[in-house]
């Protein structure tokens, strides 16, 4: 049992090394030897953890997705009394990686997204991460709808899954716009807030 725990810990250590190199050099600059040096393990240790570079990259992007999702859940659990609307706003901001502290993580995530366009296995791993985040959005939107039932205006009910897809696409796009300097983090936050305000209006009919 301890050997299994050590193995998983080493895989995550290697994933962190991959992310650090990808942030500095892009994915094209990630080599098994450099990853081993950054993680302070032997080449043999890297090869025992991963059969090839592609498997290593797939684990690394899954590691980032889990880290983002866990950060969102931690923030939500830290304030259990907050409304579903507030919780969704916090979650969307975290997933858009708008905080300066998450800028490196955003660069690495987008590097993986670009590579996934030409790598079917990597795209599969990314879809798993996106699905988990989308499901979280859908749950929060559904909860917001239950706590703020529509009025008597006769508006169509909100589809949580459709709204979750739209919100995730918006948050993901804002990450890119901030990274390339088209928007500031403050501009992006304003866009996100405006979208959420419109969503609450639809929820309230």
């Amino acid at each position: 049992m301890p050997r299994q725990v050590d193995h998983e810990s080493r895989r995550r250590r290697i994933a962190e090394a991959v992310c650090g190199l990808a942030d500095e050099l892009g994915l094209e600059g990630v080599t098994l030897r450099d990853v081993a040096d950054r993680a302070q393990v032997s080449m043999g240790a890297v090869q025992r953890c991963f059969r090839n570079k592609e498997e290593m990259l797939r684990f690394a992007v899954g590691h980032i997705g889990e880290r983002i999702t866990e950060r969102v859940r931690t923030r939500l659990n830290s304030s259990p009394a907050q409304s579903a609307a507030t919780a969704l706003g916090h979650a969307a901001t975290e997933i858009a990686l708008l905080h300066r502290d998450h800028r490196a993580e955003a660069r690495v995530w987008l590097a993986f997204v670009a590579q996934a366009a030409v790598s079917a296995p990597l795209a599969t791993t990314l879809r798993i991460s996106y699905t988990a985040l989308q499901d979280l959005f859908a749950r929060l939107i559904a909860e917001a709808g239950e706590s703020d039932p529509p009025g008597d205006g006769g508006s169509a009910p909100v589809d949580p899954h459709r709204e979750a897809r739209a919100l995730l696409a918006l948050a993901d796009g804002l990450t890119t716009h901030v990274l390339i300097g088209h928007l500031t983090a403050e501009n992006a936050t304003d866009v996100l807030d405006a979208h959420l305000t419109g969503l609450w209006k639809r929820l309230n009919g």
Side-chain angles (χ1 to χ4, degrees):
M1 184 65 179
R3 296 180 66 183
Q4 179 64 32
V5 172
D6 289 344
H7 179 72
E8 186 62 21
S9 176
R10 177 167 289 175
R11 281 163 63 88
R12 294 187 180 281
R13 184 175 176 180
I14 291 170
E16 290 291 343
V18 170
C19 293
L21 289 168
D23 180 36
E24 296 168 13
L25 306 171
L27 288 184
E28 65 276 8
V30 176
T31 67
L32 292 179
R33 183 169 300 280
D34 287 342
V35 168
D37 289 343
R38 177 67 63 93
Q40 297 183 320
V41 298
S42 67
M43 277 282 289
V46 175
Q47 291 168 331
R48 283 191 294 275
C49 288
F50 304 102
R51 289 172 295 181
N52 49 47
K53 179 179 177 178
E54 184 172 64
E55 183 178 289
M56 182 177 68
L57 293 180
R58 290 180 63 189
F59 181 83
V61 72
H63 175 66
I64 295 178
E66 289 174 5
R67 194 164 64 190
I68 294 171
T69 303
E70 184 56 34
R71 193 164 61 232
V72 171
R73 287 177 177 150
T74 298
R75 185 165 184 180
L76 297 182
N77 292 335
S78 66
S79 302
Q82 65 188 320
S83 68
T86 300
L88 182 59
H90 288 329
T93 301
E94 289 286 353
I95 290 170
L97 301 172
L98 299 181
H99 294 300
R100 186 170 297 277
D101 291 347
H102 301 152
R103 205 58 54 81
E105 198 171 61
R107 287 192 294 268
V108 175
W109 181 262
L110 289 184
F112 278 116
V113 170
Q115 184 65 26
V118 293
S119 169
L122 196 55
T124 297
T125 302
L126 274 170
R127 285 197 297 272
I128 292 171
S129 293
Y130 277 128
T131 297
L133 296 173
Q134 183 175 295
D135 288 346
L136 176 61
F137 276 163
R139 178 176 64 80
L140 291 172
I141 292 169
E143 289 176 2
E146 291 170 1
S147 60
D148 294 304
D152 298 326
S155 58
V158 170
D159 180 342
H161 295 285
R162 182 180 62 195
E163 295 296 339
R165 288 193 294 271
L167 182 55
L168 180 59
L170 175 63
D172 206 44
L174 289 174
T175 304
T176 302
H177 284 241
V178 171
L179 277 185
I180 67 173
H182 176 64
L183 295 176
T184 65
E186 291 74 20
N187 294 151
T189 299
D190 287 344
V191 171
L192 204 51
D193 287 346
H195 180 83
L196 290 173
T197 297
L199 175 57
W200 303 145
K201 288 180 179 178
R202 293 195 298 278
L203 284 170
N204 288 313

